[in-house]
Amino acid sequence: MAKLKLPDFVQVKEVGPRDGFQMEKQFIPTEEKIRIINALSRTGVSAIQVTSVVHPRAAPQLTDAEEVMAKIDRRQGVSYSVLVPNLRGAERAAPMEADEWELMLSVSESHNRANANQSVNESLKGHKKVMELADKNGVKVRGGMATALGCPFEGPLWTSSKSSGSVL
């Protein structure tokens, strides 16, 4: 088995303001979100996923995304990103002046349908339009894969290959 080569550099992105806040049942006041994000900006972390522009019914906690992005204190050396699920979200994100948009995609069909209400292929096709709008607005785009190591609906999505030692 080959040795794993570790990278020379790893960037840690704080996703608590988006991922953590969206799970809270009681609405967190906008000013409190801004205070927390500003405090995180001073910790030395180089990237923060501030919010998401999903439909407000999907994540009521993030309905104030525009106000939060407008009022945070942006520190030099910190990248502020927004999770963008689709073209409608990208249109909403465009005036926010985020440093980066993060695309939303699940590896498993069932999780992508539950999360984005569309198939993986439909999401990928939609990402092309999001990327075109990002390019027009001078925004960097990053993609990630949810459920890459397992799905809450389907279980493990990979197995070890007996012949090559690879996964997938």
Side-chain angles (χ1 to χ4, degrees):
M1 184 172 253
K3 280 191 172 186
L4 179 66
K5 183 180 180 321
L6 297 177
D8 295 328
F9 173 80
V10 175
Q11 180 185 40
V12 175
K13 179 175 286 192
E14 173 58 63
V15 298
R18 193 272 311 159
D19 196 37
F21 291 170
Q22 78 180 12
M23 303 306 291
E24 294 297 318
K25 301 293 183 218
Q26 187 175 357
F27 189 78
I28 301 167
T30 303
E31 292 303 319
E32 181 67 5
K33 291 176 190 173
I34 293 166
R35 186 189 69 71
I36 292 168
I37 293 163
N38 288 343
L40 287 168
S41 295
R42 294 188 301 270
T43 65
V45 69
S46 63
I48 301 173
Q49 189 180 67
V50 175
T51 191
S52 176
V53 286
V54 297
H55 194 283
R57 281 190 308 245
Q61 191 66 253
L62 305 178
T63 58
D64 56 357
E66 289 87 351
E67 186 176 359
V68 170
M69 284 297 289
K71 291 184 175 179
I72 57 174
D73 295 330
R74 299 187 187 215
R75 294 180 63 89
Q76 187 173 359
V78 180
S79 173
Y80 299 91
S81 66
V82 174
L83 183 70
V84 175
N86 53 36
L87 183 58
R88 289 182 95 169
E91 290 165 345
R92 188 175 158 205
M96 292 182 182
E97 298 182 8
D99 297 308
E100 183 176 81
W101 291 351
E102 296 185 60
L103 300 179
M104 187 173 85
L105 181 73
S106 298
V107 173
S108 69
E109 287 293 330
S110 59
H111 192 268
N112 205 71
R113 286 208 178 274
N115 216 25
N117 200 28
Q118 54 189 351
S119 72
V120 171
N121 281 337
E122 290 167 330
S123 288
L124 288 170
K125 286 178 186 171
H127 288 346
K128 182 178 182 198
K129 292 177 183 172
V130 171
M131 291 171 63
E132 289 168 356
L133 185 58
D135 187 50
K136 239 197 275 191
N137 285 278
V139 181
K140 182 176 159 185
V141 177
R142 181 181 308 265
M145 299 181 293
T147 69
L149 300 177
C151 174
F153 309 123
E154 299 175 30
L157 299 174
W158 55 271
T159 59
S160 292
S161 169
K162 292 177 185 172
S163 60
S164 68
S166 64
V167 295
L168 297 179

